[in-house]
Amino acid sequence: MQLTTTRGGLRRIAYGAAIAATIIGTAGCTTGQTVPDRATESVTTPPSPAAEPTEEPTPEPTPVISYLGDTKVVTLGNVEARVTPGEYGINVACNVRNDAGRALRYKTQITVSSEGVSYSAEFDFGSIEPAAVGRQSKAVGSHATEVRQEDLKVYIDSVITY
């Protein structure tokens, strides 16, 4: 019975010594090392991006306008509108690229105006998978619509994702 008591006491001493060594080791107090003066140290932590409130709203994307022959191409973010005047009216094509990591539905409205006349085309895309492109086109106006490419103004009025 005395042997068991001695073993238990030795275990407690070994356990206490291990805890003391851990505390001393984490505090930086080991033999042969000098502890730096904490008063002269400077610690800089970079500011957290989530902690900084932004006072200015995120700027709207700028549309990019280009031409492919008679077609005027307006790109705004991941939405592209292609407008081509023809003898039977104005063809409006809309391409939407899904850059999100999940399937999304898109609803866009595009307005085409020229010399005081304005036409609107609304596109409702079904579910577009990630990294896929949805394409739709519509004709607006009539064969009596005489529009020159230089006079066309194209607006991507709204883009709704859901």
Side-chain angles (χ1 to χ4, degrees):
M1 196 174 232
Q2 191 163 0
L3 188 58
T4 309
T5 308
T6 306
R7 252 191 226 163
L10 289 176
R11 281 188 189 154
R12 282 189 212 113
I13 293 172
Y15 181 71
I19 289 176
T22 304
I23 292 172
I24 292 172
T26 58
C29 301
T30 56
T31 331
Q33 291 183 347
T34 58
V35 178
D37 186 13
R38 296 274 183 209
T40 60
E41 285 185 19
S42 66
V43 178
T44 33
T45 56
S48 171
E52 293 181 16
T54 57
E55 293 181 19
E56 294 182 24
T58 306
E60 293 291 321
T62 305
V64 177
I65 301 170
S66 60
Y67 294 92
L68 292 170
D70 289 340
T71 303
K72 186 171 189 174
V73 181
V74 177
T75 306
L76 184 67
N78 58 350
V79 177
E80 178 184 76
R82 294 180 178 222
V83 178
T84 309
E87 63 181 89
Y88 297 109
I90 301 170
N91 184 35
V92 180
C94 182
N95 302 325
V96 177
R97 184 181 67 251
N98 184 357
D99 292 335
R102 60 184 175 91
L104 290 174
R105 295 178 60 102
Y106 286 85
K107 187 173 187 177
T108 64
Q109 182 172 349
I110 298 171
T111 302
V112 179
S113 65
S114 174
E115 297 178 3
V117 179
S118 181
Y119 302 100
S120 185
E122 197 170 285
F123 300 93
D124 193 3
F125 295 90
S127 181
I128 300 174
E129 294 300 317
V133 177
R135 294 181 171 90
Q136 290 183 5
S137 66
K138 293 182 178 182
V140 295
S142 66
H143 69 279
T145 307
E146 289 270 341
V147 178
R148 294 188 320 231
Q149 177 186 12
E150 305 85 42
D151 298 333
L152 275 178
K153 292 183 178 39
V154 180
Y155 304 96
I156 299 175
D157 295 323
S158 66
V159 178
I160 300 171
T161 58
Y162 57 103

